Structures are given as structure tokens and as C-alpha cells.
């Protein structure tokens, strides 16, 4: 490194260190949220520049001369070499769902410090590493899914457990994400119109890049973003026009449209809809979060939530029950470590990546970006009054239905807020009430409106920014559902390929249509029932979301650790082995408590016993409203408890089989067999990062290309 580069990175390190120092040394006084930004951004920059580079170059030894599946198997349907900027957008949009928006908001019950530490430290050493390493190994195996890699590399027993567990968890995760979207878009003509318009815009972008102007990523980006902004503005016009009724949809209607869209997005060629739509959505996602960060720097809001609340040690918080360990780590999930990401990293992305060297920017970099979203979510939750935070996020059974009862309940928590203040907060965003708006999304929207209105428009714009944030959250999550459906299709095809070889070709049309129908049918069924019945369908399985997601991460890290050892990288196995050990400690502890705790607010079976006793005594307990719902609660608690046992056992089977495979590889390395595609020389020339280095620009020029992938001839740029 040059002296100039050394000085720059020392400065970055100082910014991050000062930010952490201010957060750590505060003793009850309010501090600016900008310090939290400084700590996170400084840490991200150092993690990406040094640790990610070390993992990519020293541990994985990425090879730019090796052809990827996208190059070797290019069929224009599922396998298609995609510009790294577009693919970054697709990957980020696919992994960044509800988790980084709502999980950190809920975890703020414990204070801003525990969540912030886990989000930053967790992503640098666990989450981003998992995503990058999984993407690398899947790329070396023709883009095989996580479950299939487990079967091929660990063994039939652990592999079968992984295939079953991963697919079941996937269906639950997709249905939960879809439910969040349905709740956000129901009766919202602005959101429905704006999000609906992203589909034709994406189709236009896909044909523009594929047919009209191949390689012109910058051009299509400018056009696409302009159309997206127009769609957002037009959504506001539609909501106030005679067309509002047309775009005001009931939840049941939204479910049908989402199922149809998920199926179509799963079977169409990736270049036509999925990749350009995700790329387009990334501009909206990253742009809004970037503006939110700028707003924090300009407005300098203070963190009103304590650094650590009493709920962190007592474990009796009204938002969710349980102590800081393990439940703050389970609740945050996607912002730091998410098993769902490993499915995308072994699903769509490895079939589209141009060069192995791009796994760093796409796998590690996209996850850092999502983690930054989680940091912004922490900030939005912690800059509002704590009393208002708990009134919004506590269930109705705790705070009651009026501002008077909510004020009294919050005061009992140790945070005072008057009934007038609660009523005024709702009036400011033109809502009838903000009480018990659980789930995290309304709190994020309220915090965003506080920051944006402080910079643009003042208090008169707060309602606009609040409803804009609600629409933004729906758009943020929808891209995860369409990509997730395609990933689920790949997983099911890989599994069925063990029985019928035709399914191993993931672009075989009968297999594509059948597997897509099964996947959308699975999550669509749970979603439909959940919309019709507030205690049924996916609502029944919602409590499993956090633990199931983190158990999935354990499978991914176990597969990655096994592959590191089998491929002769034993000395580097700690890179994924240490995060695996931590994830197991967290998830298995949480699973144990959910199964065996005698606290009905935590343990599923304890909850079942309480409601069963109520049934026998003829009493109706909240949230049930009648005896039929009492029976439903008993059923739900029983199902959740049994599934918790089932998922934990499956993960333990995978781990035991992985440990057996690793020990065999260490003892007899000569007996190791890797299901890895042989080296084939790459003919593609593409940069490793978003911005080409001087060396890469020279390589592109020598190949007659520019940084956009277009061919240059006689000083006139021609499509590649």
C-alpha cells in the first residue's frame, strides 16, 4: 500500500474507533445517531477492504481464469453471464427482505447497543462470510443448491436431512415475507400502483440490455431510475384520483396476484424480469437508505432509547419475551447472519456470475449493504420517544385500546408518555391510531418520517414520508419473494434430480413448471389461510421464523466448513467454523428454551398447557376471543413446538454427519472426493469489483471492451 492509502485507512479506522468509543462511553446521556453511523461505516470499510480480501484471495483462492457456470452453461434462461453491477443489484434485492427492516426495530427493546454490536460484528465475521463462501462453492458446482451440496459432500444421511429441512424452512420464510407485503399493500393504491409498475419497467430494461443496447448498463440505469421515480410520484396521483378504487385491493386479491407473479417470475428467463427488476429495486432500496443516512448526518437526531434497557437482563419485554442471549440475535436475524441468504448464494446468483473474483463484491459486499439497512432500522427505532416505541410495538393485550391505557402501561415499563402525545403522534402521520402496530414496519416508517421531515418539508411532510416508507418497505420485501420462489424451484429440482435425472437440468421445462407450481402452491397456501384466519396458516408458523432462519445458517456454515476441510484448507476452517459454533450456541439455546421453558411467553408447550387449562376451566384467554380460538391457540403452540423439535433434530443430524465427514477427510485426505466441476478456461473478461482497477481497464481495453462490457471498434462502441 502507498503512504497515501495507509493514511486513508488509518483515518477510516479512527472514524470507526471514535464512533464505537462514543457509543461505549455514554452513560445515560443522549448522543447523536451520527456516531452510530460512523462506527458502522468505518467497520464495514475495514472489513471489506481487509478481511473480505483475505478470505477471497488466501482462503478461497478465487481464480479469474476459471470459467463459471454462467459462461459454460449459458442458455439464456437460468444460466446467463450478467454484468456484475446488475448482478449485485439482483443479489442484494433478493437477500434484503423484511429481516433488516423489522428485526432490528424489535430488538431495540433491549436498547441500541446490543443490536448494533451484533449487526456490525456479526456481518463482518459471519453473515457476509457465509454468503461469499457459499456463493464460491456453489459456483464451483454448477450452481447447485445448498441442500444438494450437503448431500453430495457430506453424505446421504446428512444430505437428506438438509434437503428436507432447508426446503421446509424455505416455504415458511417465503410465506412470512409475503404476509408482510400483503399487510403493507392492502388498501394502499399508491403502493400497489408504484410496485406494479416496476414489472413493465423491468421487462423494458431486460429487453433493452438483451436486444436493443447490449452492455449499456449505465444507459438503462438512467432510464429505469427515471421511470421508477415517475411511478412513485404517479402512485401518489393515482391514490388521489378516480383510479384509486381500481388499485385498492383486498388482502385475498393481493395473495392471488402475488402467487401468479411469483410463478411467472420463476419460469421466465432471468434476464427478462428477475435480474432487471431486482437491479431496479436496488436503486430504490439503496437510494432511500442512503438519503436516510444523509438525513441523519444533516438533522443529527439523538438516540432516545437507552444503550441497554432493563429488559435485556430481565427477559420480560412487552415486544418479545426472552433474555438478550439468545433472543436478540434470533430477532435481528437478516441484518447480521441469515440462512436465507445462503439459498440465494446457491440459487440464482452462482448461475449468473461472470467471474469467480466477483464473489467478494457480490457475496460479501451485498451483505454489508444489507447490514447497513439494519443499522438504519436501529436508528429509526431509537430516535423516537421510548414511550411511543413501546406503545406502538406492544400487543393490545398489554397496552389496551386507548391512549390512556397505553400511557399507563408504558409508564409501568419505566418510560413515560402522555395520552396527548400518543394521540398527536398518530395525527402527525394521518393515522387514527399507532397503538399496537406490532411487527416493526410502522416504527421504521415513523422513524424515517421523523428524519426526512426534519430535512425536507418539516412537520407538514411527516404524513407523506410515513406513507412513503410503508410503500418502500413493501417494495423492499417483494423482490425477496420472487427471487426466493426461483431459488425454491432450484432446490426442489435438485432434490427430485436424485430420483429422476431429468430434473437435474434446472432449465428442463416440465421440471421448471412443475417445481415452480409446487413452490408457489406451498407458500401461497399458508399465505392464503393466514390472510383469511388471523390465527391460522402462516400466522401459525410465524413464531418459527427467526429460529428457522438461523438454523438454516447453521446448515450453510456446516457445509462451507466441510468443503474447506475436504478441499485442503484445514488451516482456514476457522473462518466458517467459528461463526458456526456461535450460531449453534444461539440457535440451539433458543430452540431448547422454546421447547422446554415453563414460561408460557417463551415455551411453546408451556403456552399450550396454559390455554388447555383455560379450556378445561371454561375461560377465554387473550389473544383468543372465543373458545374456538382457544382451541386454535393450543393447536398452533403444539405444532410450533413439534416443528421446533423436528428442525433442531434435522440440524443436529446434518452437523453430526458433517463432523464425521470432516474427521475422515483429516485422517485420510487421500480418500477425499469432491463433487467439483473440473477447471475450464474462461474466455470472458470482466472486472472483479464495481469499479475496474487500472489493471482491469487495461485487460478490458486489450480485449476491445470497455467497463460496461460493450465492444469498442474504430472508436465507436458496439454491443458485445
Amino acid at each position: 500500500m502507498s503512504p497515501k492509502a495507509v493514511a486513508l485507512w488509518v483515518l477510516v479506522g479512527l472514524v470507526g474507533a471514535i464512533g464505537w468509543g462514543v457509543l461505549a462511553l455514554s452513560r445515560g446521556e443522549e448522543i447523536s445517531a451520527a456516531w452510530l453511523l460512523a462506527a458502522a461505516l468505518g467497520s464495514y470499510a475495514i472489513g471489506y477492504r481487509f478481511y473480505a480480501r483475505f478470505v477471497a484471495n488466501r482462503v478461497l483462492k478465487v481464480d479469474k481464469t476459471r470459467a463459471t457456470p454462467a459462461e459454460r452453461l449459458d442458455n439464456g434462461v437460468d444460466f446467463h453471464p450478467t454484468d456484475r453491477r446488475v448482478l449485485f443489484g439482483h443479489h442484494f434485492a433478493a437477500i434484503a427482505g423484511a429481516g433488516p427492516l423489522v428485526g432490528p426495530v424489535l430488538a431495540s427493546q433491549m436498547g441500541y447497543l446490543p443490536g448494533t454490536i451484533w449487526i456490525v460484528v456479526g456481518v463482518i465475521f459471519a453473515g457476509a462470510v457465509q454468503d461469499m463462501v457459499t456463493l464460491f462453492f456453489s459456483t464451483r458446482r454448477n450452481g447447485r443448491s445448498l441442500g444438494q451440496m450437503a448431500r453430495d459432500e457430506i453424505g446421504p444421511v446428512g444430505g437428506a436431512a438438509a434437503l428436507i429441512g432447508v426446503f421446509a424452512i424455505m416455504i415458511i420464510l417465503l410465506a412470512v415475507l409475503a404476509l408482510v407485503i400483503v399487510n403493507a399493500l392492502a388498501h394502499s393504491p399508491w403502493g400497489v400502483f408504484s410496485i406494479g409498475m416496476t414489472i413493465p419497467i423491468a421487462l423494458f430494461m431486460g429487453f433493452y440490455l438483451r436486444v436493443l443496447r447490449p452492455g449499456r448498463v449505465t444507459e438503462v440505469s438512467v432510464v429505469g431510475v427515471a421511470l421508477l421515480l415517475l411511478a412513485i410520484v404517479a402512485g401518489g396521483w393515482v391514490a388521489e384520483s378516480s383510479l384509486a378504487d381500481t388499485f385498492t385491493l383486498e388482502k385475498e386479491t393481493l395473495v392471488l396476484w402475488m402467487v401468479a407473479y411469483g410463478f411467472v417470475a420463476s419460469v421466465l428467463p432471468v434476464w427478462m424480469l428477475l435480474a432487471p427488476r431486482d437491479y431496479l429495486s436496488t436503486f430504490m432500496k439503496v437510494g432511500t437508505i442512503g438519503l436516510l443516512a444523509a438525513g441523519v448526518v444533516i438533522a443529527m437526531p439523538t438516540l432516545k432509547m437507552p444503550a441497554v434497557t432493563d429488559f435485556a437482563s430481565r427477559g420480560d419485554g412487552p415486544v418479545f419475551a426472552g433474555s438478550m442471549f439468545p433472543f436478540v440475535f434470533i430477532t435481528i436475524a437478516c441484518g447480521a447472519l441469515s440462512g436465507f441468504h445462503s439459498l440465494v448464494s446457491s440459487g440464482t446468483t452462482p448461475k449468473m456470475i461472470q467471474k469467480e473474483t466477483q464473489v467478494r463484491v457480490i457475496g460479501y459486499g451485498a451483505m454489508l449493504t444489507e447490514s447497513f439497512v439494519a443499522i438504519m432500522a436501529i436508528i429509526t427505532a431509537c430516535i423516537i420517544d421510548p414511550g411511543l416505541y413501546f406503545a406502538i410495538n406492544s400487543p393490545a393485550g398489554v397496552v389496551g385500546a386507548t391512549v390512556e391505557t397505553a400511557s399507563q402501561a408504558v409508564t409501568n415499563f419505566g418510560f413515560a408518555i402522555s395520552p396527548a402525545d400518543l394521540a398527536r403522534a398518530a395525527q402527525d402521520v394521518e393515522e387514527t391510531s399507532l397503538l399496537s402496530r406490532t411487527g416493526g414496519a410502522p416504527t421504521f416508517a415513523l422513524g424515517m418520517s421523523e428524519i426526512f421531515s426534519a430535512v425536507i418539508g418539516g412537520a407538514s411532510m411527516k404524513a407523506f414520508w410515513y406513507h412513503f416508507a410503508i410503500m418502500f418497505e413493501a417494495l423492499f420485501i417483494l423482490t425477496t419473494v420472487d427471487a426466493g420462489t426461483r431459488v425454491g424451484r432450484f432446490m426442489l429440482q435438485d432434490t427430485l434430480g436424485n430420483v429422476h435425472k431429468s430434473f437435474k437440468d434446472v432449465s428442463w421445462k416440465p421440471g421448471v413448471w412443475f417445481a415452480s407450481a409446487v413452490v408457489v402452491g406451498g407458500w401461497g397456501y399458508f399465505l392464503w389461510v393466514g390472510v383469511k384466519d388471523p390465527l391460522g396458516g402462516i400466522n401459525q408458523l410465524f413464531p418459527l421464523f427467526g429460529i428457522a432462519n438461523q438454523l438454516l445458517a447453521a446448515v450453510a456454515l456446516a457445509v462451507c466448513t466441510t468443503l474447506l476441510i475436504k478441499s485442503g484448507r484445514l488451516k482456514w476452517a476457522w473462518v466458517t467454523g467459528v461463526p458456526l459454533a456461535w450460531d449453534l450456541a444461539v440457535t440451539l439455546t433458543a430452540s431448547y428454551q422454546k421447547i422446554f421453558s415453563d414460561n408460557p411467553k417463551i415455551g411453546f408447550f408451556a403456552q399450550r398447557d396454559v390455554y388447555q387449562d383455560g379450556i378445561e376451566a371454561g375461560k377465554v384467554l387473550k389473544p383468543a376471543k372465543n373458545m374456538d380460538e382457544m382451541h386454535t391457540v393450543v393447536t398452533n403452540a403444539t405444532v410450533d413446538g413439534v416443528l421446533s423439535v423436528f428442525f433442531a433434530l434435522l440440524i443436529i443430524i446434518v452437523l453430526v454427519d458433517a463432523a464425521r465427514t470432516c474427521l475422515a477427510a483429516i485422517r485420510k485426505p487421500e480418500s477425499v472426493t469432491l463433487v467439483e466441476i473440473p477447471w475450464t478456461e474462461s474466455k470472458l473478461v470482466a472486472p472483479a469489483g464495481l469499479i475496474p482497477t487500472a489493471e482491469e481497464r487495461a485487460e478490458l481495453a486489450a480485449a476491445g471492451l470497455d467497463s460496461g462490457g460493450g465492444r469498442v471498434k474504430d472508436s465507436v462502441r458496439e454491443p458485445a
Side-chain angles (χ1 to χ4, degrees):
M1 294 174 64
S2 66
K4 183 178 179 180
V6 171
L8 173 64
W9 286 106
V10 168
L11 178 61
V12 170
L14 285 174
V15 169
I18 293 172
W20 283 115
V22 172
L23 293 177
L25 296 176
S26 64
R27 292 294 182 269
E29 68 275 16
E30 292 183 355
I31 62 173
S32 172
W35 290 115
L36 201 155
L37 274 184
L41 291 175
S43 302
Y44 292 153
I46 292 174
Y48 181 78
R49 169 60 180 82
F50 296 100
Y51 191 61
R53 194 174 191 175
F54 158 76
V55 174
N57 295 341
R58 294 288 301 279
V59 179
L60 302 180
K61 297 182 179 179
V62 293
D63 183 0
K64 70 178 182 179
T65 68
R66 188 185 190 114
T68 64
E71 179 180 356
R72 289 185 290 99
L73 305 176
D74 182 10
N75 60 12
V77 180
D78 295 311
F79 294 89
H80 178 62
T82 304
D83 185 284
R84 80 273 183 202
R85 293 164 294 184
V86 176
L87 187 57
F88 177 92
H90 157 72
H91 187 80
F92 170 72
I95 65 173
L101 291 176
V102 302
V105 170
L106 302 179
S108 296
Q109 169 182 263
M110 305 291 189
Y112 65 79
L113 195 55
T116 298
I117 293 174
W118 170 235
I119 289 170
V120 176
V121 176
V123 73
I124 290 173
F125 295 106
V129 170
Q130 172 208 252
D131 294 10
M132 177 171 65
V133 177
T134 303
L135 175 58
F136 171 80
F137 281 125
S138 180
T139 301
R140 288 268 174 110
R141 286 157 179 78
N142 278 348
R144 287 298 183 201
S145 65
L146 176 66
Q148 188 61 38
M149 285 198 294
R151 187 183 187 281
D152 292 341
E153 302 290 357
I154 293 177
V157 177
L163 286 167
I164 295 170
V166 168
F167 187 75
I169 291 171
M170 180 71 165
I171 295 297
I172 293 173
L173 298 185
L174 287 174
V176 168
L177 294 172
L179 180 64
V180 176
I181 298 167
V182 168
N183 289 336
L185 290 183
H187 308 108
S188 173
W190 183 11
V192 169
F193 177 84
S194 299
I195 291 175
M197 286 304 297
T198 62
I199 297 174
I201 294 172
L203 289 169
F204 166 75
M205 293 174 66
F207 279 99
Y208 193 100
L209 280 175
R210 177 81 172 185
V211 180
L212 300 179
R213 306 273 281 176
R216 299 295 181 96
V217 176
T218 303
E219 283 184 12
V220 80
S221 299
V222 172
V223 174
V225 170
L227 291 174
L228 174 63
L229 293 176
L230 178 61
I232 294 169
V233 174
W237 300 337
V238 167
E240 297 175 0
S241 73
S242 59
L243 293 172
D245 290 342
T246 303
F247 291 94
T248 301
L249 303 181
E250 297 295 328
K251 291 183 177 181
E252 292 84 355
T253 307
L254 282 168
V255 171
L256 296 177
W257 276 111
M258 286 187 59
V259 168
Y261 169 73
F263 179 82
V264 171
S266 177
V267 301
L268 285 180
V270 287
W271 61 266
M272 186 180 295
L273 177 60
L274 189 68
R277 188 182 182 284
D278 289 352
Y279 178 60
L280 179 66
S281 299
T282 294
F283 281 100
M284 178 67 173
K285 293 181 176 184
V286 176
T288 302
I289 293 298
L291 290 174
L292 191 59
V296 169
V297 174
I298 295 171
M300 300 289 282
T302 57
L303 296 169
K304 296 178 181 177
M305 185 73 73
V308 182
T309 68
D310 292 339
F311 297 126
S313 57
R314 296 206 312 256
D316 59 350
V319 179
F320 63 90
S323 57
M324 183 173 68
F325 180 87
F327 289 106
V328 79
F329 308 100
I330 295 295
T331 303
I332 286 177
C334 302
L337 172 65
S338 171
F340 178 80
H341 297 184
S342 67
L343 304 183
V344 179
S345 293
S346 61
T348 53
T349 306
K351 299 175 180 65
M352 301 162 68
I353 194 168
Q354 293 173 312
K355 309 291 287 184
E356 277 190 5
T357 48
Q358 294 172 351
V359 299
R360 179 180 169 219
V361 67
I362 294 170
Y364 200 97
M367 181 53 192
L368 286 186
T369 308
E370 178 174 351
S371 181
F372 183 59
V373 175
I375 287 294
M376 296 311 303
I378 284 268
I379 290 175
T380 59
C382 294
I383 63 169
I384 65 176
D385 186 278
L388 180 58
Y389 168 87
F390 284 105
I392 295 173
N393 289 284
S394 300
V398 175
V399 297
T402 68
V403 291
E404 289 78 16
T405 58
S407 173
Q408 183 59 50
V410 170
T411 300
N412 293 337
F413 298 155
F415 301 99
I417 187 169
S418 69
D421 288 337
L422 289 173
R424 190 180 307 111
Q427 293 169 3
D428 287 344
V429 295
E430 298 179 7
E431 291 283 338
T432 56
S433 174
L434 289 175
L435 301 181
S436 300
R437 299 290 295 273
T438 57
T443 304
F444 179 86
L446 186 63
M448 181 185 286
S449 71
E450 290 276 355
I451 294 170
F452 277 160
S453 62
V455 178
I456 303 173
S460 62
M461 288 288 289
K462 187 174 290 186
F464 170 83
W465 290 120
Y466 176 84
H467 290 93
F468 170 83
I470 294 294
M471 185 275 296
F472 163 76
E473 290 175 299
L475 173 64
F476 204 100
I477 301 165
L478 183 58
T479 52
T480 304
V481 174
D482 53 17
T485 300
R486 198 181 194 96
V487 170
R489 188 251 286 179
F490 291 148
M491 292 165 50
L492 183 57
Q493 286 179 273
D494 278 346
T495 302
L496 295 175
N498 296 311
V499 179
H500 193 290
K501 291 185 178 180
S502 296
F503 281 97
K504 286 189 176 294
D505 177 5
V506 294
S507 298
W508 180 53
K509 286 189 177 180
V512 168
W513 289 68
F514 173 77
S516 297
V518 171
V519 174
V520 296
W523 64 257
Y525 166 77
F526 287 112
L527 176 62
W528 176 264
V529 177
V531 165
K532 300 287 286 184
D533 180 0
L535 292 177
I538 193 55
N539 297 301
Q540 180 186 62
L541 304 176
F542 207 106
L544 296 173
F545 178 84
I547 290 179
N549 188 39
Q550 300 302 75
L551 286 173
L552 197 54
V555 174
L557 289 168
V559 170
C560 290
T561 304
T562 302
L563 286 171
L564 285 174
I565 293 174
K566 290 182 67 175
S567 60
R569 300 174 173 94
L570 176 60
K571 68 177 181 179
W572 304 123
W574 58 268
V575 170
T576 53
V578 171
L580 172 61
W582 169 257
D583 186 52
L584 286 174
V586 170
T587 52
L588 292 183
T589 299
S591 296
Y592 180 86
Q593 292 187 21
K594 283 292 185 181
I595 296 167
F596 295 107
S597 174
D598 57 5
N599 182 349
K601 293 183 178 180
I602 299 175
F604 290 129
F605 293 117
Q607 182 186 59
R608 179 200 62 184
D609 292 342
V610 167
Y611 280 82
Q612 185 61 47
D613 292 343
I615 291 172
E616 293 173 359
K619 296 180 180 179
V620 177
L621 307 176
K622 294 181 179 180
K625 298 181 179 64
N626 50 54
M627 198 55 67
D628 286 341
E629 291 190 356
M630 288 285 290
H631 285 283
T632 301
V633 172
V634 170
T635 301
N636 290 355
T638 304
V639 170
D640 289 339
V642 171
L643 285 178
S644 295
V645 174
F646 177 68
F647 287 147
L649 288 175
L650 284 178
I651 301 311
I652 291 172
I653 291 171
V654 173
L655 293 170
V656 169
D657 211 14
R660 176 193 60 78
T661 301
C662 290
L663 285 174
I666 294 171
R667 290 172 177 171
K668 296 181 179 180
E670 69 280 359
S671 65
V672 170
T673 56
L674 285 171
V675 185
E676 184 175 285
I677 303 302
W679 182 90
T680 303
E681 183 179 4
S682 174
K683 304 297 183 182
L684 287 178
V685 178
L690 297 179
I691 302 174
T693 64
E695 180 183 353
E696 288 171 339
R697 284 195 296 271
E699 291 177 350
L700 289 166
L705 303 171
D706 64 14
S707 61
R711 189 168 300 281
V712 180
K713 183 178 181 181
D714 297 330
S715 300
V716 178
R717 191 179 187 281
E718 295 183 349

